[in-house]
Amino acid sequence: MNKLAILLKYQLISIFNKFKYVLLKKKKSKSISMILSFALISLAIYAFIIVYIFMFIMLFNEGGVPEGGLYIVVVAITMISLMSSITKSNSYLFRMYDYDILFPLPIDNKTIVSSKIMSLLFESIGLSIIIGVPTLIIYSLLVPLVWYA
């Protein structure tokens, strides 16, 4: 289990350092502008998602079915996670270049593959949390809490 935790840590660090590696290869002025443009585009997409979540919850709340907005968002999160996992899995599991480094090590093949699958799962869960938390906040602000006795 310790080897799995170490490999999982390595996989997650390598996922999040890819963007940093691309930035370090470029000049400093280009990297700063790239970071700012990436942050601006990410914030714009995130604001766009939050506005649509707000509109769906308001629409279903006015229609008398306040839970409908949550259902739509949960289905959307599930579909986004499923499609991103399907599109990433082939290249992520079978076409990675770190197999040449990992397979000669005294680690089972099952441990290597399970660490890759777990890091893919954590990436999908992170995406779900990023979209799900604002949904719950918006839903709790717009829909009054009803206590049933």
Side-chain angles (χ1 to χ4, degrees):
M1 190 64 183
N2 189 20
K3 292 178 184 178
L4 178 65
I6 292 170
L7 277 176
L8 183 62
K9 179 182 172 184
Y10 165 73
Q11 293 294 326
L12 293 174
I13 288 172
S14 70
I15 288 170
F16 294 116
N17 278 341
K18 285 180 185 175
F19 187 69
K20 182 179 172 183
Y21 176 72
V22 169
L23 293 178
L24 289 177
K25 287 175 60 176
K26 301 196 182 287
K27 293 181 182 176
K28 190 171 184 177
S29 63
K30 285 185 178 179
S31 67
I32 291 173
S33 64
M34 216 169 155
I35 289 173
L36 290 176
S37 63
F38 179 75
L40 186 64
I41 290 170
S42 298
L43 286 174
I45 290 172
Y46 198 61
F48 186 70
I49 289 171
I50 289 175
V51 166
Y52 266 95
I53 290 170
F54 180 78
M55 288 181 357
F56 274 122
I57 292 176
M58 284 296 293
L59 174 76
F60 282 101
N61 195 17
E62 293 294 323
V65 187
E67 301 87 21
L70 283 180
Y71 297 149
I72 294 290
V73 172
V74 167
V75 168
I77 289 172
T78 304
M79 294 305 292
I80 290 171
S81 295
L82 178 69
M83 295 309 285
S84 69
S85 295
I86 288 173
T87 56
K88 289 180 187 178
S89 64
N90 186 23
S91 64
Y92 192 72
L93 294 175
F94 303 113
R95 297 178 191 225
M96 294 295 283
Y97 296 111
D98 60 351
Y99 281 128
D100 298 336
I101 299 169
L102 292 175
F103 276 128
L105 295 175
I107 301 172
D108 290 339
N109 294 341
K110 294 177 188 177
T111 308
I112 294 171
V113 172
S114 62
S115 72
K116 289 196 171 284
I117 291 173
M118 286 177 66
S119 61
L120 189 65
L121 175 71
F122 285 146
E123 211 174 321
S124 178
I125 288 173
L127 178 68
S128 300
I129 288 173
I130 287 172
I131 298 173
V133 169
T135 303
L136 292 176
I137 292 170
I138 291 170
Y139 182 78
S140 65
L141 291 175
L142 295 178
V143 178
L145 183 62
V146 178
W147 293 95
Y148 293 104

